[in-house]
Amino acid sequence: QVQLVESGGGSVQSGGSLRLSCAVSGYTYTSSCMAWFRQAPGKEREGVAFIDSDGTARYRDFVKGRFAISQDNAKNTLFLQMNSLKPEDTAMYYCATDAGRFSGRCARSGLDYFRYWGQGTQVTVSS
């Protein structure tokens, strides 16, 4: 049974930092695209950062220069370092994997391409 479990969320003030983790079990994602998404109240879920199996990272413009996605293949864990947080970053953050749909490349960013999801971790940024 594949499980993705996020942790590391919390409440911080504007300008602060958080590091999210996503522990993956029941599946070895070494040939998969891994990603972080977020969903704010009343808004659609959106992609934040993506990482290919070779470590190539891609970011949405609204987090470029502030967030960094990384992975520890030995520990089957995905990370999201979030710096210079803003109130508009407030959301539930989810990790996801496409389970190797495109052989390790993050070829598509749409939600439908990601097969497994975590339950989410809340990030709240106050001004």
Side-chain angles (χ1 to χ4, degrees):
Q1 180 181 359
V2 178
Q3 281 191 315
L4 284 71
V5 180
E6 302 94 335
S7 60
S11 297
V12 295
Q13 290 192 330
S14 183
S17 298
L18 284 172
R19 189 188 194 212
L20 305 184
S21 298
C22 172
V24 182
S25 61
Y27 176 74
T28 300
Y29 63 75
T30 52
S31 296
S32 300
C33 168
M34 299 294 297
W36 288 97
F37 289 78
R38 71 185 186 187
Q39 187 168 18
K43 295 188 176 182
E44 293 186 350
R45 193 171 298 189
E46 60 183 0
V48 174
F50 305 82
I51 187 165
D52 294 354
S53 60
D54 67 358
T56 301
R58 299 177 181 82
Y59 302 93
R60 296 292 302 278
D61 286 346
F62 50 76
V63 301
K64 278 183 181 177
R66 300 189 299 123
F67 289 13
I69 187 171
S70 61
Q71 56 192 2
D72 184 334
N73 290 336
K75 296 183 178 180
N76 239 21
T77 304
L78 180 72
F79 303 99
L80 185 68
Q81 178 66 44
M82 304 186 297
N83 300 324
S84 302
L85 283 162
K86 305 175 182 180
E88 50 265 43
D89 294 318
T90 295
M92 186 73 80
Y93 283 72
Y94 301 88
C95 63
T97 176
D98 73 352
R101 182 164 185 167
F102 299 107
S103 302
R105 291 186 60 247
C106 294
R108 298 287 187 274
S109 60
L111 275 65
D112 291 347
Y113 292 98
F114 290 83
R115 182 175 180 182
Y116 298 110
W117 294 80
Q119 83 291 346
T121 186
Q122 178 67 38
V123 171
T124 302
V125 184
S126 57
S127 57

